[in-house]
Amino acid sequence: MQLSFEKSVAGRRTYMLPAPDVPKYELPAELRRTLELPLPEMGEPDINRHYSALERRSFGVNDGPYPLGSCTMKYNPIVNDQLASLPGFTQIHPLQEIDTVQGCLQALVEAEKFLAAVTGMDRMTFQPAAGAHGEFTALLMVKAYHEDRGDSERTQIIVPDSAHGTNPASAAMAGFETVNIPSNEAGGVDLEGLKKVLGPKTAGLMLTNPNTLGIFDPNIEEITALVHEAGGLNYYDGANLNAVMGVARPGDMGFDLVHLNLHKTFSTPHGGGGPGSGPVGCKAFLAKYLPNDMPIARKGEDGEDVYDLEVPEKTIGRVRSFYGNFLVTLKAYAYALRLGKAGIREAALTAVLNANYMAEGLKDYYDISVPGPYMHEFVLTIEPLRQEYGITAMDIAKAIQEKRIHPPTMYFPLNVKEALMVEPTETESRETLDMMIEALREIRSRVDSDPESLRQAPRTTVIGRPDETTAARNPILRYTEPEAE
Amino acid sequence: MSSNLKYSKTHEWVDFIAPNRVRIGLSDYAQESMGDLVFVTLPEVGQEVSVGDVIGDVESVKAVSDLYSPVSGVVVAVNEDLEDQPELINEEPYSAWLFEIDQVTDQVELLDQAAYEAFCEEEG
C-alpha cells in the first residue's frame, strides 16, 4: 500500500480559502520557514479512501474479540464518548476563571470520590496520563514520604517476577533500586523470598493482585503486613482491578497507594484510540504529597458546594500539565455512573466468569500455567507443544488471526514459557466465548494433523509475519523522500 | 563451547584471561532461549561491581533480561561493537564478549562445562 507521502500531488488541496479581508502582515524574515513543510498534499476523496484502506488492514474491538491478557480490552460504550463530547466539557480552557468551570471541577471531584470508594483510598489525582506514569507518580510520593520522615536509607522497591515490566522501569525512573522476588508454585508471592529481602532499605512493594497469572494472592494481607512491619509502603498496580472491582478493595488488602488504568478497567478507549489515564489514589496519610493542584469541594456562603483547587501541603509538584486527560476521566466517570455500585461489581464477576468459562473449555486441549480457578485471565503455556511438535506460542497466536480474533498477549508473563495470556473481559457474549474456544480447539487439532498450516499462519492478513528483529535493530521511523535520479 | 570457560547459573560465561581478570559473555544456551537480540546495555568502564549486581541487560524481540555480574571487581573494558551489532551475540556467543572485569575479589558459584550443561538440561 502506498504511503500518503507517495500519493501526494504538488498543489492538490481539499479547501479553498476566501480572499483575505484584512491587510496582509509579513512575518519578520528570521521567523519564517526557509523550507517548505514536507507534508502530503491530497484531495479529500483520496484522504478518506487512504484512511478507510488503513482501517480495513487493521483490527480493533469493533472487528472481533480482543482477548489481550492484562490489557482489559473491553468494549467501550459510545455513550461515554457522547457525554465527554458535550460542549460544556470541550469548549473550555484550563486557565479560565474557576467560577466559570465549576461543572468540570465538580465532575473531577465526584469521579475522585467514586474511584476512591472503589479502591478503598481516601484521595486520588487524575494527572498521570497512563499506567506507567501513575506508577512513577506514586513512587515519587513513596520517596517523598520516607524523606519527609528523615528516613533516607530506603532505596529499594520490591517487585515480584510476575510483575509488569513497567514496575521495575518506574522504580528505576524514580531513583530506586529494584529487588526481584520469586513466585511460589501457586503463582503467588513467595513469602520466604519476600522476608529475605525486607529490611531497613525497603521503600516499598509493588504488587499486581490478582497477578498476571490470573491468581488472587491468598496471602495478600500477610504480604502487606510484612512490608509495613519492615517500614515500607504497599503499592497496588491496578492493571488487573477489573477482576475485583466492587468485590475487594486494595485499601482493605493493606495497600497505601494504587494506580488505575481508566483505559482498561473503566472503559475508555485504549491503545491508538487513547489517550490513556493512570490516576493515583492514596490513603489519607499520604495525601499531602499528591501532585498539585487537587480539585476540591467546599461549602460556599449559601451552603452550596463550591469547587476550587488546592495545593497539597508537601506536594511532589506537577507530573503533567493541568488536570491530566480530563475527557478520559469524564468517560470513566460516565461509565462508573451508568453501572453504579452494583453494576461495577457485576462487571467484575462476569469478567471472572468469562475467563473461567474459557479456561474450562480449553483445559483438555492446552496446558494452563497454574491450576484454577482464575480471576479475569489465565495463561496457556505452549511449551509442551513446542517440545513435541516445534509449534510455538507465536504460531498459535498467528493462527488465531485467521479466525478474526485478536491474538492473546504473547511471551508474557516471563515466568511462563511460551505464554499466551487470555483475558476475554465481561463484554463478550457466551456465543463469542464459544467461538473463541472452538477456534483454539480447532487450532490445537492441527498441531498434530497439519502443523505446517500453523507455521504458515496467518494466510489471510495483508502482512503475515513481519521481520520484528530487523524492525527493532534498524527501525525506519520517518519518511524520507527518495533521492532524485 | 570452550572447555576453559566457567558458567554462572544466570547464564554468563566467564573466561579467566589473567589471574584476577575475567572476560564475560552470554552463553549459547542463553542467546538461544532469548532469540534474536536487538539491544544490549553494557556497564561503564570504571564502574565497581559486586557479585550478583545487575550491570546491564540484553533485549530480544521477546523479552528483556538482566545481566548479572558473576564476580566483584572493576569494569575495565566493554565490547562497544555490540551496541550497533547485538546480533554478534547470536552469531558467535563465545567470541562476542560483553565486558571485562579486573581486580576480581569474589565470584559466584561457577560451573564447569559439564555441570552447566546439566544445569541447563534441568532448567530446560
Side-chain angles (χ1 to χ4, degrees):
Chain A
M1 184 177 160
Q2 273 190 313
L3 303 175
S4 57
F5 290 97
E6 292 162 342
K7 289 177 182 166
S8 177
V9 177
R12 192 155 288 173
R13 291 281 183 276
T14 60
Y15 55 85
M16 290 200 297
L17 291 178
D21 56 358
V22 290
K24 200 171 173 184
Y25 175 78
E26 288 287 345
L27 279 173
E30 72 271 18
L31 295 180
R32 270 181 256 152
R33 292 188 62 86
T34 54
L35 292 172
E36 285 288 306
L37 267 180
L39 295 176
E41 298 175 89
M42 294 167 84
E44 189 168 313
D46 296 327
I47 293 176
N48 283 336
R49 286 169 194 161
H50 181 73
Y51 284 105
S52 291
L54 284 176
E55 188 188 340
R56 281 194 300 277
R57 292 161 67 104
S58 66
F59 188 93
V61 83
N62 281 348
D63 296 294
Y66 210 129
L68 194 63
S70 261
C71 292
T72 315
M73 301 300 285
K74 62 173 79 173
Y75 177 76
N76 309 141
I78 289 169
V79 64
N80 302 342
D81 290 82
Q82 288 174 329
L83 290 171
S85 305
L86 293 174
F89 293 129
T90 57
Q91 304 296 312
I92 53 168
H93 191 280
L95 290 178
Q96 76 188 59
E97 291 298 326
I98 266 189
D99 57 355
T100 66
V101 286
Q102 288 287 299
C104 294
L105 289 174
Q106 181 180 354
L108 281 171
V109 166
E110 287 177 4
E112 179 186 346
K113 216 177 275 176
F114 194 105
L115 294 173
V118 170
T119 50
M121 294 289 139
D122 296 306
R123 294 302 308 273
M124 189 171 280
T125 171
F126 292 104
Q127 265 186 38
H133 194 190
E135 294 173 24
F136 177 68
T137 303
L139 289 170
L140 290 183
M141 291 172 64
V142 169
K143 196 167 211 182
Y145 165 78
H146 291 306
E147 280 174 4
D148 192 25
R149 299 163 71 245
D151 205 351
S152 57
E153 299 300 307
R154 297 194 177 270
T155 52
Q156 295 181 339
I157 292 287
I158 301 168
V159 176
D161 61 1
S162 64
H164 290 133
T166 48
N167 287 179
S170 300
M173 286 291 288
F176 289 107
E177 182 193 336
T178 52
V179 180
N180 269 296
I181 51 168
S183 300
N184 61 25
E185 273 179 16
V189 169
D190 178 59
L191 287 175
E192 293 310 309
L194 174 64
K195 283 179 195 162
K196 256 186 238 164
V197 299
L198 283 171
K201 284 188 167 180
T202 303
L205 167 78
M206 298 178 86
L207 198 65
T208 309
N209 188 38
N211 67 18
T212 48
L213 297 175
I215 299 298
F216 188 97
D217 204 309
N219 302 319
I220 190 63
E221 284 175 312
E222 192 176 347
I223 293 166
T224 54
L226 283 169
V227 173
H228 279 156
E229 278 163 31
L233 296 178
N234 290 297
Y235 169 79
Y236 182 92
D237 180 324
N240 297 337
L241 187 78
N242 206 49
V244 296
M245 59 176 182
V247 181
R249 310 193 310 167
D252 301 332
M253 301 173 204
F255 288 95
D256 308 297
L257 301 117
V258 37
H259 93 259
L260 302 178
N261 299 284
L262 297 186
H263 47 280
K264 295 181 180 178
T265 322
F266 290 91
S267 198
T268 69
H270 205 150
S277 176
V280 168
C282 68
K283 293 283 194 183
F285 74 98
L286 294 170
K288 60 185 164 193
Y289 307 109
L290 280 163
N292 60 344
D293 306 317
M294 293 292 290
I296 52 154
R298 53 180 169 75
K299 291 286 171 212
E301 283 165 20
D302 53 2
E304 293 278 301
D305 278 338
V306 176
Y307 297 93
D308 204 350
L309 295 168
E310 191 178 72
V311 177
E313 185 194 339
K314 293 183 173 176
T315 179
I316 57 165
R318 272 189 185 287
V319 295
R320 194 187 179 282
S321 51
F322 305 114
Y323 315 104
N325 289 325
F326 170 60
L327 296 177
V328 179
T329 307
L330 271 182
K331 289 175 201 179
Y333 184 43
Y335 173 78
L337 278 182
R338 274 176 51 86
L339 264 65
K341 199 175 162 186
I344 289 279
R345 181 184 167 88
E346 195 184 335
L349 296 179
T350 310
V352 171
L353 176 65
N354 284 2
N356 282 283
Y357 182 78
M358 269 196 83
E360 193 62 28
L362 292 172
K363 70 170 197 219
D364 295 336
Y365 296 79
Y366 292 91
D367 283 52
I368 305 185
S369 64
V370 288
Y374 306 98
M375 297 300 288
H376 61 302
E377 66 192 359
F378 57 94
V379 182
L380 303 177
T381 169
I382 308 302
E383 179 65 10
L385 301 182
R386 189 188 69 80
Q387 289 188 5
E388 196 171 348
Y389 304 97
I391 291 295
T392 62
M394 176 71 87
D395 297 328
I396 305 282
K398 291 292 181 184
I400 291 172
Q401 289 183 301
E402 294 181 346
K403 310 269 190 186
R404 299 295 289 165
I405 300 170
H406 194 283
T409 297
M410 301 185 303
Y411 296 102
F412 187 83
L414 300 177
N415 53 354
V416 177
K417 288 190 174 171
E418 296 292 326
L420 284 179
M421 185 190 212
V422 183
E423 179 182 11
T425 82
E426 72 277 13
T427 54
E428 297 305 338
S429 65
R430 178 164 176 182
E431 290 75 16
T432 304
L433 299 175
D434 285 337
M435 183 274 279
M436 286 196 277
I437 292 168
E438 194 37 57
L440 277 159
R441 286 178 179 177
E442 193 278 331
I443 289 168
R444 176 65 187 82
S445 75
R446 277 193 277 143
V447 171
D448 328 278
S449 65
D450 187 11
E452 208 40 45
S453 72
L454 302 179
R455 291 192 191 101
Q456 284 167 8
R459 297 159 297 184
T460 53
T461 56
V462 182
I463 296 173
R465 300 204 183 196
D467 181 352
E468 291 176 45
T469 307
T470 304
R473 283 178 184 162
N474 303 303
I476 301 170
L477 301 175
R478 55 184 294 184
Y479 175 74
T480 46
E481 265 184 66
E483 299 279 328
E485 287 182 15
Chain B
M1 209 182 271
S2 158
S3 54
N4 298 327
L5 301 181
K6 301 279 186 199
Y7 302 86
S8 71
K9 287 185 176 175
T10 49
H11 305 289
E12 288 86 12
W13 56 256
V14 181
D15 186 5
F16 278 83
I17 52 178
N20 284 318
R21 180 165 171 143
V22 294
R23 181 174 269 193
I24 288 160
L26 201 64
S27 78
D28 188 39
Y29 175 85
Q31 71 79 17
E32 183 71 39
S33 36
M34 289 284 295
D36 288 340
L37 295 176
V38 293
F39 292 108
V40 178
T41 313
L42 297 170
E44 283 181 21
V45 170
Q47 195 176 326
E48 285 185 31
V49 298
S50 300
V51 158
D53 281 0
V54 173
I55 55 170
D57 53 59
V58 287
E59 180 172 347
S60 74
V61 287
K62 281 194 226 164
V64 186
S65 274
D66 287 331
L67 290 172
Y68 297 91
S69 181
V71 299
S72 299
V74 181
V75 178
V76 286
V78 299
N79 186 353
E80 284 167 6
D81 291 348
L82 299 178
E83 280 166 18
D84 292 329
Q85 294 175 283
E87 60 268 30
L88 294 176
I89 299 173
N90 294 116
E91 288 160 11
E92 293 189 63
Y94 296 107
S95 308
W97 57 281
L98 298 165
F99 47 88
E100 289 180 8
I101 294 179
D102 203 354
Q103 301 164 46
V104 171
T105 53
D106 192 11
Q107 61 187 59
V108 291
E109 180 195 352
L110 291 173
L111 309 173
D112 64 18
Q113 189 182 326
Y116 178 68
E117 276 172 12
F119 173 73
C120 292
E121 185 73 20
E122 207 174 288
E123 256 206 344

